[in-house]
Amino acid sequence: MASLTTLKLTNRSPKQPIKKLPPTIDLPANATVEDVKKLIAKQAGFSDHNRIGLFYTSTRKTLKDRRAVIAEDKDVAEAGEVLVKDLGVQIAWRTVFVVEYLGPILIHGAAVAARPYLLKDPSMSPTQWLSFGMIVAHFAKRELETLFVHKFSANTMPARNIFKNSFFYWAISGALCAWSIYYSPWSLAARANDPIVDAVGTALYLFGEISNALVHLYLSTLRSTGGTERKIPHGYGFSLVTCPNYMYEVLAWVGIITASRDWSVALFITIGAIQMFIWAKGKERAYRKEFGDKYKKKRFVMLPGLL
């Protein structure tokens, strides 16, 4: 397999072909998937090699591991060919996450700051302030993790995704939750007067947020900077579910729901939990496929006894 020196290139989308795609490229010794993308981009006239997508000819699935040596991939070596597609304008994963999480921080801050100009009584109840602090602190934590903790296996994603992803956070956890908690005439947080409920919500929130942060810090140690390798995670919460970071994330939001008493917060995390469950199922399948008997299979991927 290591003798692969020339790779045939075929457009994956004949209706939207890469016009200057070379029919073949010569492979340097130990060329990786990312090296191949750079070679193709250079010859095809692309300034960003991340726009180049490589796919297997047999399954048409993407070559995900950008650091894998192309000649050592059995399917590619046997075919001597890959399919190539222009993935469109790309944007860094880190940038997308920063923009996503910035929305709720700005919107909740603006909503609270605007109360004196929009309401006759601009004062907020202690529970409204507690809800505000919880939500802003949650997304501030997310921003810090994005900038300093998370390591991404892929460099970029299609730029159009930033609009879809940001809408969920800006519109629901941002605008909808801010209106419902601080402005809605039906806001339970505005009328709340039960410190015990606030305390229970705060305890759940703090435990969930701290635990989520600990799992994220641990996961960041399992991958080198810019690396794509995967290791079997162990320890805090991993004996219970595949993705304890999602479990603790949900728990933190249950704390916010408890404190805010707000339906919009429940709606936001319900939608988010559905997506996290899909991701967690995918991770469980990936662990089983990659590690086989070395991996202790999990019955529940996100919430013990439920999901």
Side-chain angles (χ1 to χ4, degrees), residues 169-180:
Y169 288 99
W170 287 58
I172 301 181
S173 63
L176 180 61
C177 288
W179 172 82
S180 186

Side-chain angles (χ1 to χ4, degrees), residues 107-125 128 132 174-191 262-264:
I107 291 171
H108 280 265
V112 170
R115 282 176 61 91
Y117 305 98
L118 300 175
L119 300 176
K120 291 183 179 180
D121 180 10
S123 62
M124 296 205 310
S125 72
Q128 285 177 307
F132 171 77
L176 180 61
C177 288
W179 172 82
S180 186
I181 294 171
Y182 315 124
Y183 287 91
S184 170
W186 304 284
S187 171
L188 295 179
R191 302 191 299 273
D262 201 273
W263 66 272
S264 64

Side-chain angles (χ1 to χ4, degrees), residues 10 38 64 111 156 187 200 240 245 248 278 289:
T10 303
K38 290 178 179 178
K64 291 183 178 180
T156 62
S187 171
V200 170
L240 298 174
N245 49 322
Y248 296 129
I278 294 171
K289 181 179 180 180

